[in-house]
Amino acid sequence: MIAGDLLALLVALPLLAAVVPLFLAPQSPRTARALTTLVLAGQVGLAAAVAWVAATDGPITYVVGGIPAAFGIGLFADRLTAAMVLLVALGGLGAFVADRSARDGPYLSLWLLLVAGLTGVVVTADVFNLYVFLEISGLAAYALVAHARGADAALAALKYLLVGTVGATLYLLGVGYAFVATGTLAMADLAPALAAAGHDSTLVVAAFGLMAVGLGVKLALFPLHAWKPDAYASAPPAVAAALAALGSTVAAYALLRVTYGVFTPAFFEAVPMVRTLLLAVAAVSVVAGGVLALREPDVRRLLAYSSVSQFGLVGLGIGLASPTALTGALLALVGHAVAKGGLFVSAGAIAREFGARTVGEYAGLARRSPAHGAAVAAMAVSLVGLPPTVGFAAKWYLALGAVEAGSWAVAAVVVLSTLLSLAYAGRLVERLYLGEGGSDPTRGPADPPTVATDGGRGDRWALAVVLVAAALVVALGLASTALADWFAPVVEGWL
Amino acid sequence: MTDVTSLLPLAAVLVPALAVPLILASGARPNLREAWTLLAAVGTLAVVAVTVRSPGTQVTPLGSFAGVDLALRADAAGLLFALLAATLWVATSVYSVGYTRGLGESGQTRYFAAFAASIAATMGVALAADLLTLFVFYELLTLATYPLVAHAGTETARSAGRTYLAYTLGGGVLAFGGILLVGVLAGSLGFVPGGVSGLTADPTLGRAAFGLLVVGFGVKAAVVPLHAWLPAAMVAPTPVSGLLHAVAVVKSGAFAVTRSVLYVFGPDAASDLGVALPLAVAAAVTMVFAALVGLRQDELKAGLAYSTISQLSYIVLGVALLTPLAAFGALLHVVAHAFMKITLFFAAGLVYVETGEKYVSDMAGIGRRLPATMTAFAIAAAGLVGFPLVAGFVSKFHLVLGAAASPHPAFVAAFLVAGVLKLLYFWPIVYAAFFGRRDRTTPASRHPFAPPHDRPEGGHGGAGSSGGRVPAAADGGYLRPTAWERRSPLAEAAPALLVPVLFTVGMAVLLGVVPTALPFWELAETAVAEVFG
């Protein structure tokens, strides 16, 4: 009982609290901001509690309004959900505190809505409800991207809106077909119902295809990735960090749930073509993302392309459908969220402090800010996939899964992706440390901040968040076996 | 030997690792910082020495990473490498202090910290109990040595650093593929003397795994054609070149190849799969090719780099021959070459600090100025060629005998040819140093094979031709001096530079005259007995 209420609270708290800053901020921006921070911190606490219960007592279920799940809205939390919810809460809080310059009501409300939407996607057990929360988080994201003002941001937000809406609509179409085939929208009931309807029937295959493509847009798999670099580069730094860490991560989680929880591995066996297509798209994403990142001068765009590549790796894990590979996909998901979020926060802080936005402008900045430099280097190492970070552990599981399954091409792609990521990440880190030009202390931010500054305290928060993220990628790597064991019951339940 | 759980192997890795933050924190106080380095070096040597003397094989389980149990295990081969690295770190630390202070190098804190991190990683490579632990520390070694290669910060140094990273991390990726295959084929990644079972079940996959492992690790072992990073990396400060590129980094590569051939595949599986012969051929080709190219190098460090490439292939060839005698020679050569090569690098660095000379063609007659140094150089070079009474003779003797007794005695020719080529390179250097004249007017002053580098016209003395400092020239250095000033052996160089040179050459002679005096002989014997039964 209590556990179920926790789940509902997890979504309700930020959703309801989102209304408050709209009215509070015009009178007292600082109180509004403090309230938002408090709600986000509370969210972290709730997420931790849910994780505790899920670990000790097993999966939690809840039905909204007491209506049975087959007709109403069900919420569900197993260990994977708990980990994701914790990730969303921490990411939401971390990215928020790292940039203290935004205090207007709409921004704060939208941020809470974003967190609510993302959390909702994670805990929902109903495919249509997933669409609703996907759109809530999406709309909040589009508006937040546009918050930066200026033509670039507006254009990027418009592109993001168009592409995102198309993606969500495709997903909705898929949900519709699934409903037509089975008459239910609850994930738990859909799984046997779809099997009964016949996994290889045109309706069911179409449903999966549409849902997967729709989510693939949100995941930014090649060739549906073009919105990502623009959105991440033009958004305000905190928004970019939150989106990078959480946006596609939650979409990947949704894809996992849909693929393994709703359609089940039996679907893959009935329609092998789907698996091949998924693996092919993911492999191309890995390579394309890496290649596009190689020559990219703008740091945030480079990181966005890197995300395309990393989510390709996750896609490979999803497509391989073996316990080892899935564990690798999950580790890659978590590791990427932490590393990419930290890198974006760092990029934002560096842009604020030194006015550096391109790889060339990053030259020698590690001398002026050694902590940022070391943290960026550590997170880059995780992106590349070198020991002892969680990125390496993820690649190990993925590659091992591929070799065990006899997919040599996939194994080669996973192993060689290290070289690609090395090329673009190494470029950044090398410039950071060995570039010339960082020792001039008189060079300050290139453009003056357009909102009220906070006297430098914000950057200390940003640095703290970055250092925590860097420490986490190493800690999670060292604890990778424990993390894999955490996910094991879920993975085994699926396969 | 029974396995004993203890913290000693972990301590060997942690002592240098803990020195890193201490060194970084004491950047503002150079003497304290150097004290940390020296303390850590002596401490590491003490830990390793205690581990050598302890009965049983010390094991430290390291917990689980990505589902694989990692551990450190101080077996005979691992201890041989660890003891070598620890001993040489002490000497190199003293030398580094003299070198960096003598040249007024910048970034000394980063230098010493990266050095300590590199030694910690080397200890990890040496004492790893399985392929994954080895791989983790292997990659950490690359990351830790990168700041040392690119230390100078110039465009050449950065480019060399990029080349180094590209080659070594690329090799790491290939080795990773090989480790995956071994894991899937054999079910486990632990080192077993004589090889793990299950690798011959599928010959194609087994050969692929062997190839990936050996090529991947062979990058660091500088097997041709994967060797190009080594001459480029000579842009690093000489102590770095000495310890890391003649001892730790390249020896890690050779050591990893040894582990792969003898402890993962084992002599039987390797000969069943038929993979050892291609490796032996590649090693023999490298040996001769590198010796030939090295013959033409006027820059001394480049010549030493090619000599290293060639000598490493002695080790790889010895291992690839799959006989106990050759493997024993290979393990001994790991030690012998390290002491001799580091003496040569130390001498080269000393020459640079004291006189500013980098090129062989400028070193004619330098024996007057640096008698003790050039004597040490001569002895070490003689050892590399294989003259008796120096360590190189003992190891080469066993290698040649092992090759003669192996199924392919033709490889003896490779050893002999390489030896002659080395003689052709080093002998003129030594002869010119003692019997040549600085103005290069006599035939004895010119190297018959290495063309002199382009020097700027005019008589700007030593400073013009080499870019270094010339000790106080009373006439402002306008006239090109015809002879080096004579110095007595005790006054020729800073003690911090000279003492390590004399120490390492002394050890090389000790190992040549009484090879069993140090634990290396026994450790090599034990390792060979474990592997070959």
Side-chain angles (χ1 to χ4, degrees):
Chain A
M1 280 294 280
I2 301 284
D5 292 336
L6 273 178
L7 266 187
L9 209 53
L10 210 48
V11 182
L13 177 65
L15 203 53
L16 294 172
V19 180
V20 179
L22 264 178
F23 301 108
L24 199 51
Q27 282 150 23
S28 174
R30 297 178 75 175
T31 320
R33 202 183 154 92
L35 179 72
T36 314
T37 317
L38 201 60
V39 169
L40 289 170
Q43 185 82 349
V44 174
L46 277 174
V50 166
W52 174 258
V53 174
T56 49
D57 286 345
I60 317 168
T61 51
Y62 179 82
V63 283
V64 175
I67 306 172
F71 307 107
I73 300 174
L75 302 177
F76 173 77
D78 60 9
R79 287 174 160 214
L80 175 59
T81 317
M84 284 289 137
V85 166
L86 196 54
L87 193 61
V88 168
L90 284 171
L93 180 65
F96 185 72
V97 299
D99 184 1
R100 301 174 56 106
S101 56
R103 286 176 196 194
D104 52 305
Y107 180 90
L108 299 170
S109 292
L110 285 169
W111 194 278
L112 285 173
L113 270 178
L114 178 69
V115 172
L118 290 171
T119 313
V121 171
V122 174
V123 299
T124 186
D126 178 294
V127 286
F128 177 72
N129 195 228
L130 198 150
Y131 166 78
V132 172
F133 278 116
L134 205 60
E135 283 291 70
I136 292 179
S137 62
L139 287 167
Y142 311 146
L144 281 171
V145 169
H147 185 262
R149 308 270 152 74
D152 286 339
L155 190 60
L158 189 64
K159 258 197 244 181
Y160 191 14
L161 170 89
L162 287 172
V163 176
T165 309
V166 167
T169 312
L170 285 173
Y171 174 81
L172 185 60
L173 260 177
V175 167
Y177 283 177
F179 183 68
V180 164
T182 60
T184 176
L185 289 168
M187 288 187 193
D189 296 326
L190 262 176
L194 282 169
H199 278 146
D200 49 1
S201 71
T202 323
L203 201 54
V204 172
V205 174
F208 181 80
L210 285 167
M211 287 166 91
V213 171
L215 288 172
V217 171
K218 293 279 185 180
L219 263 170
L221 287 175
F222 191 91
L224 307 161
H225 66 288
W227 60 268
K228 205 172 228 190
D230 294 327
Y232 287 6
S234 317
V239 173
L243 286 180
L246 305 173
S248 296
T249 309
V250 164
Y253 166 83
L255 186 62
L256 270 166
R257 277 272 174 233
V258 164
T259 311
Y260 286 98
V262 174
F263 283 84
T264 73
F267 175 73
F268 274 160
E269 264 146 59
V271 193
M273 167 71 95
V274 168
R275 231 184 113 190
T276 321
L277 270 175
L278 179 58
L279 283 173
V281 166
V284 172
S285 294
V286 171
V287 176
V291 168
L292 285 167
L294 278 179
R295 286 271 158 259
E296 181 57 58
D298 183 278
V299 171
R300 294 204 289 179
R301 290 179 70 97
L302 186 153
L303 292 175
Y305 283 123
S306 158
S307 282
V308 171
S309 185
Q310 298 279 328
F311 277 104
L313 285 175
V314 173
L316 284 176
I318 299 179
L320 281 171
S322 76
T324 326
L326 263 182
T327 313
L330 291 172
L331 281 178
L333 208 54
V334 171
H336 170 263
V338 175
K340 207 40 82 56
L343 279 169
F344 267 96
V345 170
S346 184
I350 291 178
R352 260 198 311 276
E353 228 177 291
F354 305 110
R357 288 197 162 72
T358 66
V359 177
E361 286 167 1
Y362 267 52
L365 282 183
R367 274 189 285 274
R368 292 175 67 184
S369 186
H372 268 295
V376 167
M379 291 186 284
V381 164
S382 182
L383 279 187
V384 171
L386 293 173
T389 59
V390 64
F392 172 72
K395 281 210 171 139
W396 170 263
Y397 277 113
L398 277 173
L400 194 60
V403 170
E404 277 171 1
S407 303
W408 302 112
V410 173
V413 168
V414 172
V415 172
L416 293 175
S417 70
T418 309
L419 286 177
L420 257 183
S421 0
L422 183 64
Y424 62 73
R427 199 171 120 237
L428 183 63
V429 174
E430 196 226 11
R431 195 58 61 93
L432 203 55
Y433 273 94
L434 296 177
E436 275 143 27
S439 354
D440 179 8
T442 60
R443 189 162 167 241
D447 37 13
T450 51
V451 288
T453 53
D454 53 3
R457 261 172 45 239
D459 284 329
R460 247 177 286 158
W461 278 103
L463 185 60
V465 169
V466 168
L467 287 174
V468 166
L472 263 179
V473 292
V474 176
L476 285 173
L478 293 172
S480 49
T481 311
L483 197 56
D485 289 337
W486 172 273
F487 289 133
V490 178
V491 172
E492 272 149 41
W494 280 340
L495 290 169
Chain B
M1 281 248 234
T2 50
D3 281 2
V4 175
T5 311
S6 99
L7 284 177
L8 281 175
L10 186 61
V13 176
L14 280 184
V15 168
L18 287 174
V20 175
L22 290 172
I23 292 171
L24 286 173
S26 25
R29 295 158 69 185
N31 290 333
L32 179 61
R33 180 187 66 203
E34 261 70 295
W36 288 127
T37 304
L38 291 167
L39 256 175
V42 171
T44 315
L45 181 58
V47 168
V48 176
V50 167
T51 317
V52 170
R53 290 268 162 262
S54 310
T57 314
Q58 314 294 314
V59 181
T60 312
L62 290 178
S64 186
F65 180 84
V68 178
D69 289 322
L70 302 185
L72 291 174
R73 190 161 174 273
D75 67 349
L79 275 178
L80 181 129
F81 187 27
L83 185 60
L84 177 69
T87 313
L88 287 174
W89 188 26
V90 176
T92 313
S93 304
V94 175
Y95 185 85
S96 286
V97 173
Y99 187 86
T100 51
R101 291 190 183 194
L103 286 180
E105 291 260 356
S106 62
Q108 289 187 28
T109 310
R110 180 180 75 196
Y111 173 95
F112 283 107
F115 226 110
S118 308
I119 297 293
T122 311
M123 289 294 147
V125 168
L127 299 175
D130 58 80
L131 270 173
L132 192 57
T133 316
L134 182 102
F135 180 75
V136 169
F137 282 109
Y138 198 79
E139 298 290 79
L140 285 175
L141 180 64
T142 302
L143 293 176
T145 47
Y146 168 69
L148 291 169
V149 174
H151 176 84
T154 59
E155 187 45 47
T156 331
R158 296 217 313 262
S159 165
R162 277 195 290 270
T163 311
Y164 176 63
L165 270 191
Y167 270 88
T168 47
L169 287 178
V173 165
L174 291 176
F176 181 65
I179 295 175
L180 276 173
L181 277 179
V182 169
V184 167
L185 284 173
S188 93
L189 294 171
F191 292 131
V192 175
V196 300
S197 55
L199 289 169
T200 43
D202 184 341
T204 324
L205 282 184
R207 286 194 192 107
F210 186 89
L212 284 171
L213 275 180
V214 160
V215 171
F217 289 135
V219 170
K220 270 205 183 139
V223 178
V224 164
L226 308 162
H227 66 288
W229 63 270
L230 188 52
M234 288 298 130
V235 71
T238 306
V240 175
S241 306
L243 181 65
L244 294 184
H245 298 281
V247 179
V249 170
V250 297
K251 290 287 163 50
S252 296
F255 184 74
V257 170
T258 310
R259 283 285 198 205
S260 304
V261 175
L262 297 179
Y263 288 82
V264 173
F265 280 82
D268 299 323
S271 62
D272 283 344
L273 289 174
V275 283
L277 187 58
L279 179 61
V281 170
V285 166
T286 305
M287 211 187 286
V288 176
F289 174 79
L292 273 174
V293 176
L295 207 49
R296 308 274 300 160
Q297 302 300 318
D298 192 38
E299 189 180 346
L300 183 56
K301 275 177 70 173
L304 293 178
Y306 281 101
S307 165
T308 301
I309 299 174
S310 180
Q311 294 278 334
L312 281 177
S313 290
Y314 281 40
I315 303 169
V316 174
L317 180 54
V319 163
L321 286 170
L322 298 179
T323 65
L325 206 51
F328 181 68
L331 285 173
L332 277 187
H333 200 65
V334 168
V335 179
H337 169 257
F339 279 108
M340 297 185 296
K341 191 45 67 62
I342 214 174
T343 308
L344 292 175
F345 270 109
F346 280 176
L350 198 155
V351 167
Y352 183 65
V353 172
E354 289 293 327
T355 67
E357 304 295 356
K358 304 200 282 200
Y359 294 95
V360 166
S361 52
D362 293 332
M363 286 186 206
I366 208 165
R368 267 168 76 101
R369 168 72 175 76
L370 296 168
T373 311
M374 292 316 288
T375 313
F377 187 98
I379 298 175
L384 272 189
V385 172
F387 278 115
L389 296 186
V390 190
F393 172 72
V394 180
S395 56
K396 223 174 146 182
F397 179 77
H398 285 93
L399 280 168
V400 169
L401 274 189
S406 77
H408 312 281
F411 287 110
V412 172
F415 284 114
L416 298 179
V417 168
V420 169
L421 288 172
K422 261 181 250 312
L423 182 64
L424 289 177
Y425 182 64
F426 282 114
W427 172 243
I429 301 180
V430 171
Y431 190 76
F434 285 105
F435 300 107
R437 290 165 57 85
R438 192 172 177 185
D439 55 7
R440 306 196 310 157
T441 49
T442 62
S445 323
R446 290 188 283 273
H447 195 290
F449 298 105
H453 70 292
D454 295 321
R455 14 161 82 231
E457 278 307 305
H460 278 287
S465 62
S466 62
R469 304 167 308 143
V470 180
D475 58 359
Y478 272 101
L479 292 179
R480 187 161 171 65
T482 55
W484 294 95
E485 61 172 302
R486 183 179 287 278
R487 292 271 193 104
S488 83
L490 296 173
E492 70 184 56
L497 292 174
L498 191 54
V499 168
V501 175
L502 298 176
F503 169 71
T504 51
V505 79
M507 293 289 278
V509 171
L510 177 65
L511 284 171
V513 173
V514 192
T516 49
L518 295 174
F520 298 112
W521 181 276
E522 216 181 289
L523 286 169
E525 267 184 337
T526 317
V528 169
E530 274 176 0
V531 169
F532 289 92

